[in-house]
Amino acid sequence: MSLQIGIVGLANVGKSSLFNALTNAGALSANYPFATIEPNTGIVGVPDERLNVLAKMYGAAKVVPATVEFVDIAGLIAGASKGEGLGNKFLANIRECKVICHVVRVFKDSNVTHVAGGPDPKRDIETVELELALADIETLEKAIPKMHKDTKSGDKDAIKREANAQKVLDELKSGKTHVAPVEGLELLSAKPVFYMFNMDEDELVDEAKKKELADMVAPQKCVFVNAKLEAEMADMSAEDKQVFLDSYGIKEDGLTQLVHVAYDTLGLQSYLTAGDKECRAWTIPKGATAPQAAGVIHTDFERGFIAANICKFDDLVKLGSEKAVKEAGLMRTEGKDYVMQDGDVVEFKFNVSK
């Protein structure tokens, strides 16, 4: 499963610059609103050093990371829900994403215009959230009359769905900006969201400033980046990138931070498969059972699941081989009820002859 993240925010907050840096896709970046007309999409590998370790151990011909798909959506301005700027075209594209990464401008640069005169993170966040809420209100007001027709037969599920939709509509009208989902409607305000604060270089090490911003969006999570630094790192090797990050006192680049937060927000994790042909990471929900994890590789694997040979990545690396893991009694054979853990190294046994 590929994780799809929508990068959204006001115009000129650095979304496209960050998109370029994260995906190296060369999306247009310009100092005026609506430089991004159509959504730019880029698919990148999820950083996972465990795969490189396994590849050396197994002599793997290739490494296949899990993937994340970024969708850079045209910049928003106040009134988008009513058609200002790119309006509903912008909003429609967000509905297709699993999670929203809301880019917020903190950096100060007189050469980069701001649609509201100057950066104010709290105000800018509220502007975007209001536009999403207004768009959802319009969606619900159109959908509820149609739902009501389905309740005339006395269908309990239809009655419950309409009641839930009306409850959410009332909440949005009262000023709530994060609501529960409504079945059949991809409400923008119901999507999981985290925040990416685009800061000046010197602010990246300002712990007090970062705490202030993190508290502002809590309980949602956030990451802190500088788009220019991310652009400088885009073509660096892993070694050079780490030296560069160390020089700024930063532990992880923006892509790594973003993926970690996105996985955490959506409740995702990765398990690993390893062999001489390839070493690969697979994305699954936390709480997934072994058969469900097998089904991510192929639906037949889930249907014909028999068992799974599983060891911990750390045990495998420490002992140096599968043989040593087995001799130490640390290779387990698990059945259908086993709940997968992040970093499990797995070989599935299955039979699809029936």
Side-chain angles (χ1 to χ4, degrees):
M1 57 187 293
S2 177
L3 170 61
Q4 190 180 53
I5 301 175
I7 303 177
V8 306
L10 292 177
N12 291 352
V13 297
K15 291 189 304 82
S16 293
S17 296
L18 284 165
F19 174 84
N20 291 345
L22 295 173
T23 66
N24 234 351
L28 174 65
S29 178
N31 179 26
Y32 51 87
F34 319 125
T36 308
I37 303 302
E38 296 295 334
N40 292 298
T41 301
I43 298 177
V44 298
V46 172
D48 193 336
E49 185 56 33
R50 296 174 301 188
L51 287 174
N52 295 325
V53 173
L54 290 177
K56 290 179 182 178
M57 184 180 297
Y58 284 83
K62 63 179 180 178
V63 168
V64 185
T67 58
V68 60
E69 180 179 355
F70 291 106
V71 182
D72 178 30
I73 300 169
L76 185 63
I77 64 172
S81 60
K82 299 301 181 184
E84 293 294 328
L86 294 179
N88 289 327
K89 181 177 178 59
F90 164 92
L91 298 172
N93 290 319
I94 308 177
R95 296 187 192 280
E96 301 172 8
C97 298
K98 295 294 184 184
V99 63
I100 293 174
C101 173
H102 184 167
V103 180
V104 183
R105 176 174 170 177
V106 183
F107 71 88
K108 302 172 184 65
D109 188 338
S110 59
N111 295 316
V112 180
T113 60
H114 189 288
V115 293
D120 180 334
K122 187 174 187 298
R123 178 204 61 205
D124 294 348
I125 289 171
E126 289 173 351
T127 297
V128 171
E129 290 182 342
L130 175 61
E131 293 305 321
L132 301 187
L134 290 172
D136 285 339
I137 288 172
E138 182 179 349
T139 297
L140 286 161
E141 287 180 337
K142 290 180 179 178
I144 289 174
K146 296 177 183 177
M147 294 179 186
H148 187 66
K149 293 180 181 179
D150 296 332
T151 67
K152 293 181 178 179
S153 64
D155 186 303
K156 291 183 179 179
D157 288 336
I159 293 171
K160 184 178 178 180
R161 182 166 173 259
E162 183 192 9
N164 181 46
Q166 185 62 54
K167 177 176 178 289
V168 170
L169 176 58
D170 293 341
E171 289 175 343
L172 289 169
K173 285 185 173 181
S174 70
K176 193 172 182 180
T177 54
H178 296 282
V179 296
V182 174
E183 182 186 351
L185 299 178
E186 291 288 345
L187 296 181
L188 305 171
S189 305
K191 289 194 176 295
V193 61
F194 62 92
Y195 298 85
M196 176 176 277
F197 291 104
N198 190 8
M199 312 176 74
D200 287 313
E201 290 180 27
D202 59 343
E203 291 177 314
L204 289 176
V205 292
D206 186 340
E207 296 303 322
K209 179 67 173 179
K210 291 195 291 187
K211 183 179 186 305
E212 175 190 338
L213 294 169
D215 289 345
M216 183 189 302
V217 298
Q220 280 79 31
K221 299 182 182 299
C222 62
V223 296
F224 307 98
V225 299
N226 173 272
K228 292 179 181 178
L229 294 184
E230 295 298 325
E232 288 183 51
M233 290 188 287
D235 293 317
M236 289 184 183
S237 66
E239 293 77 13
D240 289 343
K241 184 181 292 185
Q242 192 57 55
V243 171
F244 186 79
L245 288 169
D246 290 343
S247 70
Y248 282 92
I250 304 170
K251 293 182 180 179
E252 296 178 325
D253 64 7
L255 176 60
T256 304
Q257 290 184 63
L258 189 151
V259 168
H260 285 167
V261 171
Y263 269 50
D264 193 38
T265 299
L266 291 175
L268 301 175
Q269 62 185 6
S270 295
Y271 74 86
L272 311 168
T273 54
D276 57 4
K277 291 184 179 179
E278 70 173 30
C279 290
R280 186 162 183 160
W282 305 85
T283 302
I284 56 172
K286 291 178 181 178
T289 62
Q292 290 169 335
V296 173
I297 299 177
H298 197 289
T299 53
D300 284 347
F301 285 21
E302 181 174 4
R303 179 171 59 86
F305 178 88
I306 297 173
N309 290 333
I310 298 177
C311 67
K312 293 181 179 180
F313 170 81
D314 290 344
D315 290 339
L316 183 57
V317 173
K318 180 180 178 180
L319 296 173
S321 69
E322 284 186 15
K323 182 174 182 292
V325 171
K326 290 176 182 176
E327 290 174 350
L330 296 174
M331 180 72 74
R332 313 182 313 276
T333 299
E334 300 287 359
K336 294 182 178 180
D337 295 333
Y338 176 72
V339 177
M340 300 291 293
Q341 302 299 309
D342 185 70
D344 279 347
V345 182
V346 189
E347 178 186 8
F348 292 109
K349 295 181 179 295
F350 59 94
N351 183 348
V352 295
S353 60
K354 294 182 181 180

